[in-house]
Amino acid sequence: MKKKQWLTKLGVLGIAVVALAGCGSADANENDSASASSANPDAETVVIGTGNAYPPFVYLDENNELQGYDIEVLKAVDEKLDQYNFQYESMDFKNILTSLSADKVRLAAHNYAYNDERGAKYLYGQEAYDTYAHHIVTDEATIGTVYQTLDNLQGKKVFAAPGSEVAYILESYNAEHDKDIEIVYSEATSELLVQGLQNGTVDAAIFTKFDTNKYNEQFNLNLQASDEALKTARIFFIFKQGDEELQQAVDGAIKELREEGTLSDLSIEILGDDYTK
């Protein structure tokens, strides 16, 4: 197991925190980098594309260092893989998979759930390192009700970040039904998202319960989530098609971390509960 200094290739910090299904925002900066050292001088460098504005999963701290659950999992994985040195390049969420397609990065890390569109283009890991469940969230004081199903949202305005899992859920629903949900695409900060729910800009949003609880505590609100989850998703890292060697190495390390209890410990420490089961 190697000991190393963590290289973080930072981008320009964006002000937008996209809370809808795991979206971050900041432009990549090719010039912000540092060097890394490894016990294995022949280790292969793997550049990882990620965002930096989606706490507590991936974000910049007061010292402009990447932090968060996804980053800590990757560090633990890297410790187990002597043949690789991980480097991190932060960028706008919508550019991460584009960079993967363009061979600018070899691994994409930003709380990605599986969907068929991505699955046709990229190679997903087989070992999940996190799970989350999507719920319809409303400000009951504004709307007067709590929406429970997507059918209840027909004709309603609902926040979604472009390219996010939430957008995929809503777009898939609209493709299969006669009456659409009106998708309001936004990369607003969490504060503006919450304000939109309160002032009636939208009728609902789709958050995880983790994010719902976070916003209620952060803004002293009483947002209400649907009783049942719309979708429970397992979270994976994403690789280029044909990069099975790296995928299998990372999957093997994640499996070890799960069996050791390290994944659970990181989830409890950073996220407040064990979301790895």
Side-chain angles (χ1 to χ4, degrees):
M1 189 176 296
K2 59 191 174 187
K3 300 294 182 183
K4 61 179 290 184
Q5 298 173 346
W6 301 109
L7 180 148
T8 302
K9 192 172 185 180
L10 298 175
V12 178
L13 174 61
I15 61 172
V17 175
V18 179
L20 307 179
C23 303
S25 178
D27 290 333
N29 186 336
E30 293 292 336
N31 297 319
D32 289 337
S33 62
S35 61
S37 61
S38 171
N40 179 8
D42 299 319
E44 182 179 0
T45 296
V46 173
V47 180
I48 295 170
T50 187
N52 59 23
Y54 184 43
F57 299 98
V58 54
Y59 64 97
L60 290 173
D61 65 15
E62 63 276 9
N63 297 316
N64 273 359
E65 296 288 340
L66 273 174
Q67 303 291 345
Y69 177 72
D70 284 34
I71 301 303
E72 293 305 315
V73 171
L74 284 166
K75 288 180 179 180
V77 167
D78 195 15
E79 282 286 338
K80 289 184 172 292
L81 302 179
D82 288 341
Q83 69 270 40
Y84 297 117
N85 280 331
F86 286 179
Q87 298 181 6
Y88 304 92
E89 183 172 342
S90 63
M91 61 190 72
D92 190 279
F93 172 77
K94 63 187 177 185
N95 292 332
I96 298 173
L97 293 180
T98 302
S99 296
L100 188 64
S101 297
D103 293 332
K104 294 181 179 179
V105 302
R106 282 185 65 185
L107 188 159
H110 204 288
N111 236 229
Y112 288 110
Y114 180 87
N115 67 47
D116 292 337
E117 182 179 356
R118 290 180 190 146
K121 296 180 180 179
Y122 306 105
L123 178 65
Y124 269 78
Q126 297 299 308
E127 291 287 336
Y129 65 96
D130 190 12
T131 61
Y132 63 73
H134 290 299
H135 292 258
I136 301 171
V137 175
T138 55
D139 182 355
E140 189 177 6
T142 301
I143 301 299
T145 187
V146 179
Y147 299 119
Q148 296 293 341
T149 69
L150 290 177
D151 288 340
N152 297 150
L153 298 180
Q154 289 185 351
K156 307 296 184 183
K157 296 180 180 180
V158 183
F159 272 140
S164 69
E165 186 69 13
V166 168
Y168 178 79
I169 290 171
L170 297 175
E171 290 162 355
S172 297
Y173 179 89
N174 283 347
E176 298 172 1
H177 294 80
D178 294 332
K179 189 172 182 181
D180 285 353
I181 298 167
E182 185 175 347
I183 304 173
V184 179
Y185 293 98
S186 175
E187 291 186 341
T189 64
S190 56
E191 184 174 7
L192 291 177
L193 293 174
V194 169
Q195 288 178 0
L197 288 170
Q198 289 184 294
N199 63 26
T201 299
V202 295
D203 300 290
I206 297 178
F207 299 151
T208 64
K209 279 200 170 180
F210 174 86
D211 283 330
T212 304
N213 293 336
K214 178 179 71 176
Y215 297 147
N216 281 337
E217 181 177 350
Q218 182 177 356
F219 300 110
N220 193 27
L221 300 174
N222 190 28
L223 300 178
Q224 298 295 313
S226 57
D227 295 332
E228 300 296 328
L230 296 177
K231 180 180 179 181
T232 299
R234 301 170 70 207
I235 306 303
F236 305 92
F237 297 124
I238 300 180
F239 309 81
K240 296 185 301 181
Q241 290 283 6
D243 205 358
E244 284 84 2
E245 183 176 354
L246 177 61
Q247 175 221 18
Q248 291 169 11
V250 172
D251 278 349
I254 292 173
K255 184 177 181 181
E256 289 182 19
L257 292 170
R258 179 179 295 104
E259 292 171 348
E260 296 167 359
T262 302
L263 274 186
S264 295
D265 291 344
L266 287 173
S267 181
I268 292 169
E269 177 184 351
I270 299 170
L271 306 180
D273 204 345
D274 186 358
Y275 295 100
T276 66
K277 299 177 181 178

